[in-house]
Amino acid sequence: MNVSTLDQKFMARAIEIAKKGIFSTDPNPRVGCVIVKDDNIIGEGWHEKAGEMHAEIMALESCNQSASGSTVYVTLEPCSHYGRTSPCCDALIKANVSRLFIAMKDPNPKVSGEGIRRMKSAGIHIELGLMEQESRELNPGFIKRMQTGLPWVICKMAMSLDGKTAMASGESQWITGKDSRQDIQLIRARSSAIITGSSTVKFDDPSMNARSEDFPDGSISQHQQDKMIQPWRVIMDSQLTVDPNSKIFKLPGQVIWATTLKVDESKNTERLRRIQISANARGKVSEKELLKWLAEQECNEVMIEAGARVTGAFINNDLVDRLAVYIAPKLLGDEARGLVNMPGIDKLSQAKQFKIVNTRLLGSDVCLTYDRIKK
């Protein structure tokens, strides 16, 4: 690949602006596009919301001069099929661009490479793979869903220095500080769905929504707030024992109430949907089958925000891709509740292994981010 420092700069800009759609593009991927002529940006765009302009179209429409003969930098292969919008590869061909840098191919096996083929046939010079890893990090959920039929799963955990999440009484608000809680709001906001367990709803009566007023200062613009999509709030409740008057049912956005019981789907509403999921060996809602169902509904990224049993079940079944562990500088003692419940592990060889990818200081807390090591 013939790549210059300027090429890297312009692709980095495309990745940067793609992040403007991080809270609003579901179920579509986050994509950024920059159009350059004579080493100057003449147009740029990003995908904001499903059904609205794709990044390439926004960039072409924003150009301050003709895009003919230009070089285009895009974080994902331009689409080649008709969906809610027409193919972006056709628009680039029509605009007579001369060169196209693509960070990565479309992971959808039904269309992957087709846009590239058509643009090459039209005489556009294609360079593939510039800053591919950075582009992949924009869309871990979309990529995984296209390749495996499962969403990408991040599990949030907050604990004390001695690995405790609550006092023996159940008291847990607040172990971590304000900065950590604000950071967690950003994870919620980018997620398609947030899964919790019935016990968490019963004892904590949580909201489980994304609240822009609680985001870190300057982390989101008013325009992004206006476009933001509330994640689905998913309750794993095998016997439908949660009080329907709980706070989680009363907030804007959809609640998915997952049970092993037969449900009358005709009684579902726009705000509340009861679904039947097959039981696992413990007679509870199957974690994997629930994730499969969410992927079928086009959920890309799923957050686990639950107690020790539900958290441990997802980890034990190798369904968690990333851990976000928030550690407060406190010691809660032997009687406090532990972080995860993972029965059946009694040998070191059975341990679930993760690799650290990030360490951040959030006020007086530390956030450690780990990715699962796949066998």
Side-chain angles (χ1 to χ4, degrees):
M1 186 192 305
N2 186 16
V3 176
S4 69
T5 302
L6 276 176
D7 293 326
Q8 292 178 325
K9 172 187 172 182
F10 294 133
M11 184 61 82
R13 174 60 182 168
I15 290 170
E16 179 186 354
I17 61 176
K19 294 176 183 177
K20 293 184 178 184
I22 202 163
F23 306 128
S24 59
T25 62
D26 261 7
N28 291 352
R30 299 134 185 164
V31 182
C33 179
V34 169
I35 302 176
V36 174
K37 212 169 186 180
D38 298 324
D39 294 337
N40 291 305
I41 295 176
I42 64 169
E44 60 182 30
W46 62 94
H47 184 44
E48 292 188 311
K49 202 165 189 175
E52 297 184 5
M53 283 189 294
H54 286 192
E56 299 91 328
I57 306 303
M58 180 188 282
L60 286 168
E61 292 195 1
S62 75
C63 284
N64 56 27
Q65 58 179 283
S66 170
S68 180
S70 64
T71 299
V72 178
Y73 301 81
V74 65
T75 58
L76 185 69
E77 178 184 355
C79 63
S80 57
H81 60 288
Y82 283 88
R84 298 190 197 179
T85 59
S86 56
C88 291
C89 65
D90 291 351
L92 292 168
I93 292 169
K94 184 178 179 180
N96 196 36
V97 305
S98 63
R99 195 176 184 205
L100 181 63
F101 282 85
I102 302 170
M104 65 171 289
K105 279 186 178 181
D106 188 330
N108 186 344
K110 295 180 180 179
V111 298
S112 180
E114 178 59 21
I116 292 173
R117 185 194 66 77
R118 282 162 59 172
M119 290 183 290
K120 278 185 175 179
S121 297
I124 299 174
H125 180 75
I126 304 291
E127 297 277 6
L128 178 64
L130 176 60
M131 301 184 72
E132 178 176 354
Q133 184 54 42
E134 292 85 346
S135 179
R136 294 181 72 86
E137 290 170 2
L138 289 170
N139 297 297
F142 181 77
I143 294 168
K144 186 181 177 187
R145 180 167 67 85
M146 287 293 130
Q147 294 178 340
T148 70
L150 289 172
W152 182 83
V153 178
I154 181 169
C155 182
K156 162 259 169 181
M157 296 187 285
M159 70 178 195
S160 62
L161 286 173
D162 49 349
K164 306 297 184 179
T165 62
M167 303 307 296
S169 64
E171 180 189 359
S172 62
Q173 293 183 336
W174 298 100
I175 291 178
T176 54
K178 178 182 177 182
D179 292 342
S180 290
R181 297 196 298 274
Q182 289 179 332
D183 196 67
I184 291 165
Q185 287 292 327
L186 295 177
I187 301 177
R188 285 185 182 181
R190 67 175 288 163
S191 299
S192 308
I194 302 169
I195 296 177
T196 195
S198 57
S199 294
T200 297
V201 177
K202 291 174 187 176
F203 293 114
D204 294 345
D205 196 20
S207 299
M208 292 293 177
N209 61 345
R211 301 182 291 275
S212 57
E213 65 271 18
D214 293 333
F215 289 179
D217 291 343
S219 61
I220 181 170
S221 68
Q222 185 60 53
H223 182 70
Q224 286 176 297
Q225 288 185 43
D226 294 341
K227 295 279 186 178
M228 189 174 74
I229 302 170
Q230 276 293 334
W232 288 356
R233 300 186 295 279
V234 182
I235 308 169
M236 297 177 68
D237 185 14
S238 301
Q239 301 299 308
L240 295 179
T241 58
V242 167
D243 183 351
N245 292 313
S246 300
K247 190 188 302 180
I248 199 168
F249 295 105
K250 298 177 180 179
L251 300 167
Q254 190 171 67
V255 175
I256 307 297
W257 204 350
T259 176
T260 57
L261 303 176
K262 188 174 182 179
V263 297
D264 183 355
E265 295 190 1
S266 67
K267 294 183 179 180
N268 286 338
T269 67
E270 187 176 340
R271 293 278 299 278
L272 175 59
R273 186 173 180 183
R274 296 173 181 83
I275 61 167
Q276 182 181 11
I277 299 293
S278 59
N280 57 24
R282 295 176 288 108
K284 305 293 186 180
V285 170
S286 167
E287 294 81 13
K288 187 168 186 177
E289 292 304 313
L290 177 58
L291 290 178
K292 283 182 180 178
W293 184 88
L294 288 170
E296 288 168 359
Q297 313 308 306
E298 299 187 306
C299 289
N300 291 328
E301 297 181 19
V302 171
M303 180 182 185
I304 308 297
E305 194 168 357
R309 185 189 61 78
V310 171
T311 296
F314 277 95
I315 295 173
N316 225 1
N317 287 298
D318 297 322
L319 297 171
V320 173
D321 298 287
R322 176 166 290 178
L323 300 177
V325 185
Y326 296 84
I327 305 174
K330 300 173 183 176
L331 295 169
L332 301 188
D334 291 349
E335 300 302 318
R337 299 182 182 183
L339 187 63
V340 292
N341 183 2
M342 295 172 60
I345 295 181
D346 52 17
K347 296 179 182 178
L348 194 58
S349 60
Q350 296 173 308
K352 303 301 179 180
Q353 296 190 49
F354 292 80
K355 61 181 179 181
I356 193 161
V357 294
N358 200 336
T359 303
R360 294 178 295 138
L361 187 63
L362 295 169
S364 60
D365 301 334
V366 174
C367 178
L368 304 178
T369 304
Y370 298 89
D371 282 352
R372 178 166 61 93
I373 297 176
K374 299 176 183 178
K375 297 178 181 179

